[in-house]
Amino acid sequence: MHFIDVILPIPLEKRFTYNITQAESEFLQVGMRVSIPFGKTKIYTGIVANIHQTAPLVYEAKDIHQILDEAPIVTQQQLRLWQWIAKYYMCTEGEVMRAALPNAFLLESETVISPNKTSVINEEDLKDDEFLIYEALQHQSSLKIQDISNILDKKNVLPVVKRLVEKEAVILNEEIYEKYKPKYVRYVKLSSKYASEAELNSLLDNLNKNAIKQKEVILNLFTISARTKKPVKVSELIEVSKTTSSTIKALVDKNILEEYHIQTDRVQYNGEENSESKQLNQYQTEALQQIKNQFENQNVVLLHGVTSSGKTEVYVKLIEDVIAEGKQALYLLPEIALTTQLVSRLQDYFGEQVAVFHSKYSAHERVEVYNNVLHNSAKAKIILGARSSIFLPFDNLGLIIVDEEHEQSFKQFDPAPRYHARDSAVVLASFFKAKILLGSATPSLESYHNAQEKKYGLVEITRRYNNVQMPDIELVDLKDKYKKKRMKGHFSDRLIEEITETLKEGYQVILFQNRRGYSPIVECTTCGHSPQCPNCDVSLTYHQYRKQLRCHYCGYGIAMQQKCMACGTPDLDTVGFGTEQIEAEVKDLFPDFKVARMDLDTTRGKFGYEKIITALEQQEIDILVGTQMLTKGLDFRNVKLVGIMNADNMLNFPDFRAHERSFQLMLQVSGRAGRTDKRGKVLIQTYNPYHKILQQVSTNDYVGMFKEQLEERYNYKYPPFYRLIKITLKHRDYNKVNLAADWLAKALVQLFKNNVLGPEFPPVSRIRNQYHKNILIKIPQGQHLGKTKEAIKRVETTFNAIGDFKSVRLIMNVDNY
Ligand code: ADP
Ligand code: ZN
């Protein structure tokens, strides 16, 4: 008897065991895909995780349907990482599998419903919903469950399908198909018939008379292949010969040309020769040497280098070294920082060896990168990617760089696995005995603390490249400015002065505002009513450009109201401000200059973000207004002034990391100013200029911030001293969430005493019609993390067994980033 344990792409606590034959057991390897039956009718693609001879105890193993691969597509190291992530982040391996594999690899089981052509149906016997499906099948040869859901506009359509089957109106078949099709390129060559000179000459003579155009094509074919010594693409031949594909087709039909196909890679590099990487300056050279020294006895090193100190060039040198050893390098960075700026910088040095893995790439492109990494192809020696690139099938990983390591976007929130890519990358590196470098101008408290504790190495660069000075940061007291009537809209006289000056000198300006839209609240001055989202507990944000009120949580939108929806008076006022309003005001203040806006609303689409960046680079924009998107490691040469419109709303955000994050955000935005020669200027407008974080930002005092925040974390029992697990309960029914949360908290208090906080509603307690309530568990140093999680899992199991709570969703966020 032979068995395999299989990971299914669904949230199952355990792997599932299937029966295989002797022959299959000889062929199968761990990491191959199999298609397997699950439940009564389902078929899934599973990954073989283990091959053995022990029958399962509690159920009879079913047979597999089919083996889908000839060689493993998942490596042992990947399986190990899946297992680690599932355990650490309290989710299932199946959920990790879904996140880890390109969608196209998960052959989908879709029930396909087709009309039963062999029976005669009396249409009057069909109920309304049955008739709708029956009728649809007269026009379409088949429907999937999802199509049926759409037609009937409801989820649970299986009963309808079942009745149709019983009435013999339809037939079902389970069908598996592969979604991914490699892209092929068409090539042509001369048919082998004309290999001999005599045959060829007679052919050309022949064509001379009847088909001059065709003869030209053949001559061009010779010229191209003589020049490139490579296969000739149909497209190239058409272009060079200034002809059409029908001419080529005619030649193929006459058996003069032969057509053939070669699979191509979608993600192609069309650059020229590689250029040499830059010569490091003294500080970069020292840093590089220190990093190498520390790697001798540390696996993780933190590079704390101020903005524009040239960290990227240091990474490049380290990457050159690992590549030379024949190993792979992973360069992780926040999604949004994955810009053409950086990609082309690396491609200049490394050419085709750079592969980019990006959520905005198509499914096909992702499969190609995946396969290139799996086969350790020369096209994927350096992977540049966002968080999910830790899941690629590395073969010989030598180095991981985590750039902007403090960035929150390395954490995935929804759906599970709710992992942190930086922390998981540290584990991934250890599997390969690879080195990992975390880089930032504003490291996370956790990483800096680890460096202080000597768990990580620490290397610093305190000067900007070219010795450009750090920007001069000035705090502007809004309370004072309002009192003295020195404000125009949201602009203080100081900010207006500095903008005027900067523009006059021919430099550019960046204005930062944390909120998008025009204003976050619309209020009736008569009755005080403000329009709320019907699905979420938030006010609707006014977007002037589209004259809409929109919810930033669920996307709900309505037209801007002419009068108050409650009392009917037309006295609507706006409270608070977002990027749209700043853009409008700055256009009024500086009508002769070009103003643009960069936020979620203006950067949708594959290259939306890139277009704005390029426009700024090429100085088509004088003033750019934007949200935190502006902060992510962009390198602009001509920006001299940065204005932060209001520092207070980020400082007051109710989260224990709010101060750390505000510091990072403001210092990163400031870092966009004066990166090349002239010293930059930063103005921060605030009601609270004596706030310690603002003082620390203005003196670029990272260590001061670190010490003070660390002390608070210590006093209030937060990371890095205590670990956190946040449990969120979600349900449509307010009372049910309350009852369930109380029950759960009580059960947890029994285990963890006063290290359980809550249950508590978050500031926005209803999103998309689901109420949220949080319980926070604090785990002191010395309390075993694995055992704690197991204990929580047991409570969860009991919780799920309570009938009343079955429909309440529990969401675990480990480390609560
Ligand atoms: P950081 O990532 O530390 O903010 P960057 O790596 O983006 O800084 O470098 C800032 C600027 O300095 C970039 O325009 C970069 O091209 C330039 N630069 C950095 N190091 C060198 C070097 N060794 N030689 C020439 N230019 C450099
Ligand atoms: Zn909403």
Side-chain angles (χ1 to χ4, degrees):
M1 292 290 271
H2 296 272
F3 299 95
I4 50 174
D5 295 339
V6 173
I7 303 173
L8 300 176
I10 44 177
L12 297 171
E13 283 304 318
K14 295 211 169 83
R15 294 170 177 178
F16 238 71
T17 304
Y18 287 85
N19 220 346
I20 50 171
T21 64
Q22 171 80 30
E24 284 167 339
S25 86
E26 279 157 22
F27 182 80
L28 270 174
Q29 294 173 51
V30 167
M32 286 184 178
R33 286 175 300 171
V34 284
S35 88
I36 47 198
F38 187 79
K40 283 214 174 74
T41 57
K42 295 250 177 209
I43 296 178
Y44 283 110
T45 302
I47 297 289
V48 179
N50 190 14
I51 306 170
H52 58 89
Q53 302 197 338
T54 323
L57 286 177
V58 289
Y59 56 91
E60 185 151 353
K62 289 185 190 169
D63 295 337
I64 66 169
H65 280 163
Q66 218 177 328
I67 298 172
L68 296 170
D69 294 309
E70 293 186 348
I73 60 141
V74 173
T75 67
Q76 301 273 2
Q77 311 284 26
Q78 281 177 292
L79 289 176
R80 227 176 129 189
L81 184 68
W82 294 7
Q83 207 168 14
W84 182 84
I85 287 186
K87 204 159 173 216
Y88 188 87
Y89 292 103
M90 304 180 77
C91 62
T92 64
E93 284 183 302
E95 286 164 321
V96 186
M97 170 180 168
R98 256 209 192 276
L101 294 181
N103 252 333
F105 280 176
L106 299 175
L107 301 172
E108 282 185 349
S109 142
E110 312 225 32
T111 311
V112 176
I113 293 105
S114 339
N116 185 353
K117 300 228 166 81
T118 60
S119 65
V120 182
I121 300 298
N122 183 355
E123 291 181 1
E124 281 166 20
D125 290 341
L126 298 177
K127 292 189 183 173
D128 287 353
D129 51 2
E130 294 166 12
F131 181 76
L132 279 175
I133 304 305
Y134 176 78
E135 168 146 284
L137 282 170
Q138 307 306 312
H139 308 292
Q140 271 165 287
S141 60
S142 68
L143 291 170
K144 291 188 202 127
I145 294 293
Q146 188 54 48
D147 304 327
I148 293 183
S149 277
N150 293 345
I151 292 170
L152 300 180
D153 192 29
K154 62 179 187 181
K155 264 242 167 74
N156 184 10
V157 294
L158 290 183
V160 186
V161 177
K162 185 171 154 261
R163 277 186 267 122
L164 282 167
V165 174
E166 284 163 358
K167 293 180 181 173
E168 296 185 349
V170 302
I171 48 171
L172 299 185
N173 61 316
E174 285 265 316
E175 198 178 61
I176 273 194
Y177 61 94
E178 180 136 21
K179 276 199 271 184
Y180 170 63
K181 288 270 183 300
K183 188 175 154 196
Y184 287 91
V185 171
R186 284 162 62 212
Y187 292 86
V188 275
K189 59 182 179 199
L190 196 65
S191 163
S192 49
K193 255 199 322 207
Y194 303 102
S196 79
E197 207 152 319
E199 291 283 348
L200 183 61
N201 282 334
S202 89
L203 168 70
L204 290 176
D205 282 348
N206 222 335
L207 289 177
N208 236 348
K209 295 170 208 132
N210 310 322
I212 304 286
K213 194 74 208 167
Q214 296 184 357
K215 183 182 167 189
E216 240 179 81
V217 169
I218 290 172
L219 292 176
N220 277 322
L221 178 64
F222 286 135
T223 336
I224 299 174
S225 62
R227 178 166 48 83
T228 62
K229 302 195 172 51
K230 281 187 190 150
V232 179
K233 286 182 198 158
V234 173
S235 57
E236 195 177 357
L237 187 57
I238 291 176
E239 197 187 309
V240 172
S241 314
K242 300 198 177 51
T243 183
T244 58
S245 53
S246 59
T247 313
I248 309 278
K249 188 170 179 295
L251 285 163
V252 172
D253 288 345
K254 285 195 204 162
N255 289 324
I256 297 173
L257 291 184
E258 261 172 41
E259 202 181 62
Y260 61 107
H261 298 86
I262 300 179
Q263 189 175 330
T264 179
D265 288 344
R266 259 152 232 280
V267 192
Q268 272 172 341
Y269 168 66
N270 15 356
E272 302 291 302
E273 291 292 288
N274 302 2
S275 56
E276 294 275 305
S277 63
K278 295 191 170 78
Q279 186 104 37
L280 299 187
N281 70 13
Q282 174 200 346
Y283 307 101
Q284 290 170 315
T285 310
E286 279 170 23
L288 178 65
Q289 196 50 52
Q290 287 173 24
I291 293 168
K292 287 182 179 172
N293 291 346
Q294 300 200 10
F295 273 155
E296 296 285 319
N297 38 35
Q298 288 279 12
N299 292 326
V300 191
V301 171
L302 174 64
L303 173 60
H304 177 203
V306 296
T307 50
S308 201
S309 54
K311 296 184 287 294
T312 319
E313 302 303 326
V314 176
Y315 304 153
V316 166
K317 299 289 179 201
L318 290 165
I319 293 171
E320 281 175 354
D321 287 355
V322 268
I323 300 305
E325 289 173 40
K327 294 184 175 172
Q328 298 166 309
L330 169 62
Y331 189 141
L332 268 179
L333 71 180
E335 179 86 39
I336 196 99
L338 255 178
T339 54
T340 25
Q341 252 190 351
L342 183 71
V343 174
S344 44
R345 213 161 136 187
L346 289 181
Q347 281 177 338
D348 277 349
Y349 302 148
F350 299 111
E352 283 204 324
Q353 301 179 89
V354 181
V356 183
F357 198 68
H358 196 293
S359 75
K360 282 190 179 171
Y361 279 177
S362 71
H364 306 277
E365 292 167 330
R366 296 169 138 246
V367 168
E368 255 156 29
V369 175
Y370 190 98
N371 284 334
N372 282 337
V373 177
L374 180 66
H375 301 127
N376 199 358
S377 133
K379 283 187 185 160
K381 288 294 175 193
I382 302 149
I383 311 301
L384 191 57
R387 62 172 182 248
S388 63
S389 52
I390 61 165
F391 291 120
L392 287 169
F394 298 101
D395 170 69
N396 190 8
L397 189 60
L399 174 72
I400 304 180
I401 307 274
V402 185
D403 195 14
E404 313 288 347
E405 69 86 31
H406 63 279
E407 266 292 324
Q408 198 184 357
S409 54
F410 283 124
K411 170 71 165 48
Q412 167 148 322
F413 288 98
D414 258 318
R418 300 183 170 82
Y419 66 103
H420 197 293
R422 175 198 62 212
D423 299 345
S424 307
V426 170
V427 173
L428 175 66
S430 76
F431 291 168
F432 285 93
K433 302 201 166 37
K435 301 295 172 189
I436 173 164
L437 181 71
L438 313 179
S440 173
T442 54
S444 62
L445 287 195
E446 281 81 357
S447 295
Y448 203 78
H449 180 68
N450 279 331
Q452 299 278 300
E453 299 279 293
K454 308 271 184 260
K455 274 201 223 159
Y456 295 175
L458 178 64
V459 173
E460 315 217 273
I461 311 180
T462 52
R463 292 185 190 232
R464 294 186 135 190
Y465 182 75
N466 256 347
N467 277 325
V468 188
Q469 278 184 294
M470 293 302 286
D472 167 33
I473 301 181
E474 175 181 330
L475 300 171
V476 178
D477 185 347
L478 283 176
K479 216 182 331 173
D480 182 59
K481 294 293 179 192
Y482 274 109
K483 205 163 71 196
K484 296 187 176 144
K485 303 218 168 5
R486 291 193 177 151
M487 296 291 291
K488 280 190 187 155
H490 295 93
F491 290 76
S492 62
D493 55 352
R494 279 295 295 132
L495 186 52
I496 294 175
E497 273 164 36
E498 287 292 338
I499 297 175
T500 313
E501 186 67 14
T502 307
L503 294 175
K504 205 161 76 192
E505 292 173 8
Y507 290 103
Q508 293 163 299
V509 178
I510 281 180
L511 297 175
F512 171 78
Q513 169 58 16
N514 222 358
R515 283 190 169 127
R516 64 193 167 97
Y518 188 85
S519 82
I521 299 173
V522 174
E523 207 173 66
C524 168
T525 52
T526 305
C527 76
H529 172 82
S530 67
Q532 303 286 307
C533 174
N535 313 315
C536 313
D537 274 345
V538 287
S539 304
L540 295 172
T541 296
Y542 175 38
H543 287 245
Q544 189 185 46
Y545 175 66
R546 285 167 200 257
K547 307 220 175 336
Q548 261 193 343
L549 291 168
R550 286 224 303 272
C551 172
H552 284 187
Y553 285 81
C554 71
Y556 172 87
I558 50 172
M560 175 62 178
Q561 306 295 301
Q562 296 308 310
K563 36 191 182 176
C564 173
M565 287 191 275
C567 70
T569 37
D571 302 329
L572 292 178
D573 200 3
T574 56
V575 185
F577 62 103
T579 44
E580 246 190 31
Q581 189 166 159
I582 296 303
E583 183 192 15
E585 287 182 9
V586 84
K587 277 180 174 162
D588 279 350
L589 286 168
F590 300 95
D592 300 333
F593 292 89
K594 287 225 180 67
V595 181
R597 173 159 59 88
M598 178 152 86
D599 55 28
L600 254 181
D601 301 315
T602 60
T603 54
R604 293 181 211 279
K606 191 161 175 177
F607 296 114
Y609 183 66
E610 247 95 21
K611 277 185 200 146
I612 299 179
I613 290 175
T614 311
L616 191 75
E617 263 176 346
Q618 314 203 325
Q619 308 200 29
E620 287 159 19
I621 296 173
D622 300 305
I623 306 172
L624 181 63
V625 180
T627 57
Q628 41 257 60
M629 279 190 182
L630 291 170
T631 61
K632 322 288 176 186
L634 294 173
D635 187 27
F636 302 122
R637 340 225 90 217
N638 206 43
V639 172
K640 202 172 149 229
L641 175 70
V642 167
I644 296 178
M645 301 307 297
N646 181 318
D648 303 306
N649 53 28
M650 33 181 163
L651 285 166
N652 297 334
F653 194 75
D655 182 283
F656 73 96
R657 288 187 220 270
H659 284 179
E660 176 192 354
R661 292 222 168 105
S662 309
F663 179 90
Q664 288 161 339
L665 201 57
M666 283 189 267
L667 219 62
Q668 292 284 351
V669 193
S670 307
R672 303 311 116 206
R675 285 173 74 90
T676 30
D677 41 327
K678 286 276 174 49
R679 186 178 191 193
K681 173 92 188 171
V682 179
L683 284 187
I684 303 180
Q685 302 195 125
T686 172
Y687 284 96
N688 216 341
Y690 298 103
H691 196 293
K692 59 195 177 191
I693 289 287
L694 293 177
Q695 293 294 325
Q696 287 152 352
V697 169
S698 67
T699 53
N700 192 18
D701 184 10
Y702 177 82
V703 176
M705 183 282 295
F706 171 77
K707 287 195 176 134
E708 206 161 86
Q709 291 302 312
L710 200 71
E711 195 175 310
E712 294 204 354
R713 300 282 182 90
Y714 182 83
N715 291 337
Y716 296 101
K717 301 185 174 172
Y718 277 109
F721 302 101
Y722 277 61
R723 290 184 173 266
L724 300 178
I725 296 176
K726 183 168 87 180
I727 306 178
T728 305
L729 297 95
K730 285 192 191 176
H731 198 274
R732 295 181 76 87
D733 180 345
Y734 176 81
N735 289 325
K736 195 167 257 192
V737 169
N738 272 326
L739 281 175
D742 287 343
W743 184 95
L744 190 62
K746 228 180 246 161
L748 292 165
V749 165
Q750 295 210 330
L751 294 171
F752 307 117
K753 311 291 181 259
N754 53 7
N755 282 328
V756 179
L757 268 62
E760 199 177 327
F761 284 111
V764 180
S765 61
R766 188 177 52 117
I767 298 172
R768 297 174 194 270
N769 280 318
Q770 299 270 327
Y771 286 95
H772 291 212
K773 206 163 186 183
N774 294 328
I775 298 174
L776 194 64
I777 299 169
K778 291 184 167 182
I779 307 169
Q781 263 158 358
Q783 180 175 322
H784 193 284
L785 198 58
K787 293 208 171 106
T788 305
K789 287 173 187 165
E790 280 164 25
I792 295 172
K793 279 270 170 199
R794 280 195 296 274
V795 173
E796 187 186 7
T797 308
T798 318
F799 177 91
N800 286 332
I802 298 172
D804 255 6
F805 300 156
K806 256 212 185 88
S807 54
V808 179
R809 284 221 308 150
L810 288 192
I811 289 157
M812 313 279 179
N813 268 293
V814 176
D815 294 338
N816 191 23
Y817 274 98

